[in-house]
Amino acid sequence: MNKERLSAWFRNFAEKECKGSSKLYEHLSHQIAKDDEVLAVSSMAMEGQPVPNLLFGAVHFLLMKNADHPLREYYPSLTDVPLNVKDSFPHFKDFCLENRDAVISILETRRVQTNEVRRTAYLYPSFCHVYDIAKKPLSLIEIGTSAGLQLLWDQYKYSYGDNEVYGNPSSPVHIESEIKGGRKPVFQKNSPPVASRTGLDLHVCDLTDPDTALWLKALIWPEHKERLQLFEQAADYFIQQPAKLMEGDGIALLREVIRDIPLDQAVCIFHTHVANQIPEHVKVQLMDTFKEIGRQRDVFHLYNNMWDGKLHLDYMLDGVLYENIIGETDGHARWFTWEL
């Protein structure tokens, strides 16, 4: 990737993703966009990966592995009293150049596979809506599952600012989110029944591997202590009650998985944020596969961030296609809207 495109990517990342969410990454992104040496390091990222997330994850990962460097003092995840972000970039650059080989090794081999547990905040009402339509237990198939934490959405408890608790009230994982706008979902008090759950990913993340678990933590932004806490709670829960995770091409595996799902269960294909890493022709292939399956049996497809940044629910019943926009979502699911 050329320098101009990379520079623009970091500037956009600062303005559109970091502003109001991470002062450290916002400042560093603006500075990286103007620095040829750090851009050269970041250019080694694996093709198809979101470069800013990958570079910041690589540096955070090495720091979390106890790399001794002054840069640590700017990370709220690594110190109780972080220094002013305005002075951070010289140390960030020095760290990248001093640890160039280690950073590049991560850029070439690791993937951005964020397990944003809070995104289940909008999965919960969405699957309540699916269950209301299907009237059958749900069989979940997640594409781009990473470590599979979103497959356990029905096992978490939820609050939406109305003093009510939904889902599993005894769960150690408590998700809080805001519903913006005038419309609200029709919630089921308790989680809809889930008959099976299967996660598909080209590279499944094994939470019992210490380096893999640390990498997933490193992808969480340094200021986001609540996100880290939710990840750790959900990871502990998953290790105790794991779902089935299959490694391979998610689209190619769909038919194989669905063949084993009885007709008295509702097939629910879903993904929340992986589509930003899916090439355009593969997105088309996924939609074609969904429709082909729908001509043979009822199927639901819940997806976000694929065409327009909105959350969609498409489904086929008796071979008839229904297409719906559920609403808009914050990238980290701090809020969402409901349009159904």
Side-chain angles (χ1 to χ4, degrees):
M1 185 179 300
N2 63 46
K3 182 181 71 175
E4 289 74 19
R5 187 178 171 194
L6 270 176
S7 178
W9 199 338
F10 276 97
R11 285 196 304 272
N12 288 336
F13 186 73
E15 291 297 323
K16 295 181 179 179
E17 299 193 45
C18 298
K19 183 173 284 188
S21 187
S22 173
K23 290 183 179 179
L24 178 62
Y25 283 178
E26 181 184 0
H27 175 75
L28 290 175
S29 294
H30 278 304
Q31 299 305 309
I32 292 168
K34 300 182 288 187
D35 191 277
D36 289 352
E37 290 179 286
V38 180
L39 286 174
V41 172
S42 69
S43 71
M44 305 302 291
M46 186 185 304
E47 185 178 353
Q49 291 295 299
V51 178
N53 305 72
L54 195 59
L55 177 65
F56 287 133
V59 171
H60 200 190
F61 177 79
L62 294 172
L63 289 172
M64 292 174 80
K65 293 198 81 167
N66 296 315
D68 185 17
H69 193 277
L71 180 61
R72 296 179 61 88
E73 301 305 314
Y74 295 89
Y75 279 66
S77 55
L78 302 173
T79 181
D80 292 332
V81 187
L83 299 178
N84 193 314
V85 299
K86 293 181 179 179
D87 301 319
S88 61
F89 181 69
H91 299 290
F92 184 88
K93 178 176 179 177
D94 180 72
F95 184 89
C96 287
L97 299 182
E98 183 181 304
N99 298 276
R100 188 176 188 276
D101 290 346
V103 171
I104 289 176
S105 176
I106 294 171
L107 295 179
E108 292 178 336
T109 58
R110 294 280 185 180
R111 291 165 174 80
V112 175
Q113 293 178 284
T114 306
N115 283 249
E116 183 50 73
V117 182
R118 190 184 273 117
R119 289 180 187 141
T120 60
Y122 55 75
L123 291 184
Y124 184 80
S126 298
F127 281 121
C128 284
H129 183 72
V130 168
Y131 180 65
D132 188 54
I133 296 169
K135 303 292 194 299
K136 299 175 182 178
L138 311 181
S139 282
L140 309 173
I141 306 172
E142 183 183 18
I143 296 174
T145 195
S146 184
L149 301 186
Q150 292 187 34
L151 280 165
L152 298 183
W153 60 266
D154 61 309
Q155 296 300 309
Y156 306 149
K157 64 181 175 182
Y158 300 92
S159 297
Y160 299 95
D162 59 0
N163 297 318
E164 293 285 343
V165 174
Y166 303 94
N168 178 1
S170 63
S171 176
V173 185
H174 187 188
I175 310 292
E176 298 179 83
S177 186
E178 177 187 0
I179 305 171
K180 292 187 174 182
R183 293 189 180 183
K184 306 291 182 185
V186 177
F187 288 105
Q188 293 185 33
K189 185 71 175 177
N190 299 315
S191 299
V194 173
S196 67
R197 56 191 97 228
T198 305
L200 311 176
D201 204 299
L202 286 169
H203 304 275
V204 167
C205 294
D206 179 5
L207 289 168
T208 64
D209 175 68
D211 261 11
T212 298
L214 186 63
W215 170 245
L216 296 178
K217 291 179 185 181
L219 291 171
I220 298 171
W221 296 3
E223 296 94 339
H224 296 182
K225 295 183 180 181
E226 185 182 1
R227 288 178 64 203
L228 178 60
Q229 182 182 33
L230 284 175
F231 171 82
E232 291 175 336
Q233 291 170 340
D236 288 344
Y237 197 92
F238 186 92
I239 290 170
Q240 297 170 32
Q241 300 187 43
K244 180 181 180 181
L245 304 182
M246 298 174 63
E247 194 159 273
D249 183 328
I251 301 173
L253 288 170
L254 273 178
R255 294 181 184 84
E256 175 185 338
V257 175
I258 290 172
R259 268 200 306 268
D260 296 330
I261 296 176
L263 292 175
D264 61 356
Q265 297 173 14
V267 175
C268 301
I269 303 163
F270 76 99
H271 45 98
T272 60
H273 217 67
V274 73
N276 68 330
Q277 298 182 38
I278 298 178
E280 196 70 16
H281 73 280
V282 179
K283 294 179 187 179
V284 173
Q285 182 185 357
L286 172 57
M287 299 304 289
D288 289 344
T289 302
F290 154 71
K291 291 173 184 176
E292 181 182 327
I293 293 167
R295 286 190 284 270
Q296 301 167 17
R297 64 174 296 167
D298 294 349
V299 60
F300 295 82
H301 183 203
L302 177 65
Y303 59 96
N304 196 17
N305 198 37
M306 182 129 91
W307 308 114
D308 54 11
K310 293 189 177 184
L311 180 64
H312 290 247
L313 174 63
D314 299 344
Y315 53 94
M316 293 188 70
L317 301 178
D318 298 322
V320 179
L321 174 64
Y322 300 85
E323 299 176 302
N324 301 276
I325 293 176
I326 290 179
E328 297 183 4
T329 66
D330 168 63
H332 297 137
R334 294 168 295 184
W335 58 265
F336 63 94
T337 64
W338 192 263
E339 299 178 14
L340 287 181

